[in-house]
Amino acid sequence: MARPRHTLLTRDRIVEVAGKLVDAEGLDAVSVRRLATELGVAGPSLYNHFATKGEILDAVADAVVGQVDVSFFDNRGWDEALRLWAHSYHAVLSAHPNIVPVLSHGPGRRPAALAMADTVYGGLIAAGWPPARATHIGALMRYLVTGAALGSFALGFDEDPELYAGRYPHLRDAHLLAEHRRSVDEGAFALGLETVITGLLAMKNGVLR
């Protein structure tokens, strides 16, 4: 049987290529014309699968969220499940930071994102959290994870030591932060997560209100 003369175009293939563009060059790199060139097809053929660039980016965002492991809520205590899920979520977004601005707006109508939210919320409800508080926890975790992925704290300081000398004495070592980006940024996320979980445990046990 003869092979088709043209590349078979599918939603998954479009999302795959668009995702690689986002990872390599950012959100602005994605356009119908650029994708058509990368895929070796005519531009209008993409509209058989996606009506707009926004729909393509939504699909890329959902493919990224689909990599997050939410299985912990099936077999772990709520606090350990929350911790492991947050670390998985953080690791996935850290690997795809350019798509985070799309994710930061919430799940919208994206299936994987809605499934993740449903699993986390359901796990918290099953653990005995009141619905309103479970909603607060879910929102808090999204703020923590997406906020950590939106930018590097360590890279936010200039590497010129003269900038801080004299004028900002408490920042005299700030120029060294970039050299320790991973330990600073990962350490900050881990500290924030543990602080949140410790506080939630105290609240759940009636120590805090």
Side-chain angles (χ1 to χ4, degrees):
M1 182 176 182
R3 294 183 179 180
R5 297 177 59 186
H6 301 289
T7 302
L8 182 62
L9 190 62
T10 64
R11 284 179 62 92
D12 288 345
R13 180 62 179 149
I14 295 170
V15 171
E16 177 188 358
V17 172
K20 289 179 179 178
L21 281 177
V22 171
D23 284 344
E25 303 178 33
L27 297 174
D28 290 340
V30 177
S31 68
V32 171
R33 178 178 295 182
R34 178 72 184 278
L35 281 173
T37 299
E38 296 288 334
L39 290 161
V41 299
S45 62
L46 271 68
Y47 291 114
N48 293 325
H49 301 277
F50 295 98
T52 65
K53 171 182 172 177
E55 285 189 7
I56 296 172
L57 292 178
D58 261 355
V60 171
D62 212 39
V64 169
V65 170
Q67 300 173 36
V68 180
D69 190 348
V70 296
S71 64
F72 311 110
F73 290 92
D74 293 332
N75 49 35
R76 305 291 181 97
W78 71 266
D79 54 317
E80 183 65 6
L82 203 65
R83 177 183 292 107
L84 293 172
W85 163 69
H87 277 294
S88 175
Y89 196 6
H90 176 60
V92 169
L93 296 198
S94 294
H96 305 280
N98 290 338
I99 198 64
V100 174
V102 178
L103 292 170
S104 66
H105 296 297
R109 299 177 65 87
R110 297 190 293 271
L114 288 169
M116 181 173 74
D118 185 70
T119 298
V120 174
Y121 181 76
L124 293 171
I125 293 296
W129 285 100
R133 189 59 76 194
T135 300
H136 296 159
I137 295 170
L140 172 60
M141 296 305 293
R142 183 163 69 84
Y143 298 151
L144 177 63
V145 176
T146 58
L150 278 172
S152 166
F153 177 85
L155 294 183
F157 292 86
D158 197 276
E159 296 181 39
D160 178 11
E162 296 301 320
L163 173 64
Y164 312 101
R167 296 181 62 189
Y168 310 103
H170 300 296
L171 299 179
R172 61 182 178 274
D173 294 325
H175 65 286
L176 301 175
L177 288 174
E179 298 178 17
H180 307 283
R181 175 185 178 181
R182 182 175 179 81
S183 62
V184 171
D185 292 346
E186 293 296 323
F189 174 76
L191 174 62
L193 178 60
E194 290 307 313
T195 300
V196 167
I197 291 177
T198 298
L200 290 175
L201 281 167
M203 183 179 294
K204 191 77 162 51
N205 294 328
V207 178
L208 295 177
R209 296 292 180 184

